[in-house]
Amino acid sequence: MIALPTTARIFLYSRPADMRKSFCGLSGIVRSELGYEPNDGSLFLFINRRGDRLKALWWDDDGLVLFYKRLEVGTFQLTHSADRPAVKIDSTELAMLLKGIDIRSARRRKRLQAQDRD
């Protein structure tokens, strides 16, 4: 089992990505379009135009890791954002995305957040 750190930020690229890109190509998107460094510990998600393939780029302690998932049936949800090239999601939304749940229509019930405690 591969476990990501719970502190990792997760960014879903909001445009269709070319699945022919590998480490260097996806790192270039992260640097030039998202303005982040691929080795900052964040997880970057990329979905193709048809929505049936997903690549995840993540920096492990000593190198880049590339995860690739191809669906046999169904699609991933590509979240479009007109004003920014990526949408920040949390680990719960990532799990829903991977399970085929539409994260745009999912509603969260109110909970105490760390920043709410004063």
Side-chain angles (χ1 to χ4, degrees):
M1 173 104 190
I2 299 171
L4 298 172
T6 57
T7 58
R9 297 179 303 167
I10 305 168
F11 295 98
L12 175 60
Y13 186 59
S14 62
R15 299 180 185 128
D18 183 352
M19 289 294 115
R20 294 173 294 181
K21 292 184 184 292
S22 188
F23 295 100
C24 294
L26 296 175
S27 294
I29 292 174
V30 170
R31 283 189 185 101
S32 64
E33 295 188 38
L34 305 182
Y36 293 105
E37 283 299 317
N39 61 353
D40 72 358
S42 299
L43 177 69
F44 301 96
L45 305 171
F46 304 89
I47 299 174
N48 69 335
R49 186 171 308 281
R50 286 185 299 186
D52 64 343
R53 294 162 197 232
L54 178 140
K55 280 191 178 180
L57 185 68
W58 175 62
W59 178 264
D60 194 353
D61 291 331
D62 56 358
L64 284 171
V65 178
L66 188 63
F67 301 102
Y68 186 35
K69 183 167 184 171
R70 182 187 74 192
L71 296 177
E72 295 300 320
V73 176
T75 60
F76 294 107
Q77 171 194 332
L78 184 59
T79 304
H80 295 283
S81 176
D83 56 337
R84 50 197 167 142
V87 177
K88 186 175 180 185
I89 63 173
D90 62 23
S91 58
T92 303
E93 292 168 321
L94 173 59
M96 289 190 300
L97 174 75
L98 294 174
K99 290 293 184 184
I101 299 169
D102 186 349
I103 60 178
R104 292 174 296 190
S105 63
R107 295 185 322 165
R108 290 183 181 262
R109 298 188 61 81
K110 187 172 181 169
R111 297 286 187 262
L112 179 67
Q113 299 295 319
Q115 64 269 18
D116 292 342
R117 291 184 240 158
D118 289 310

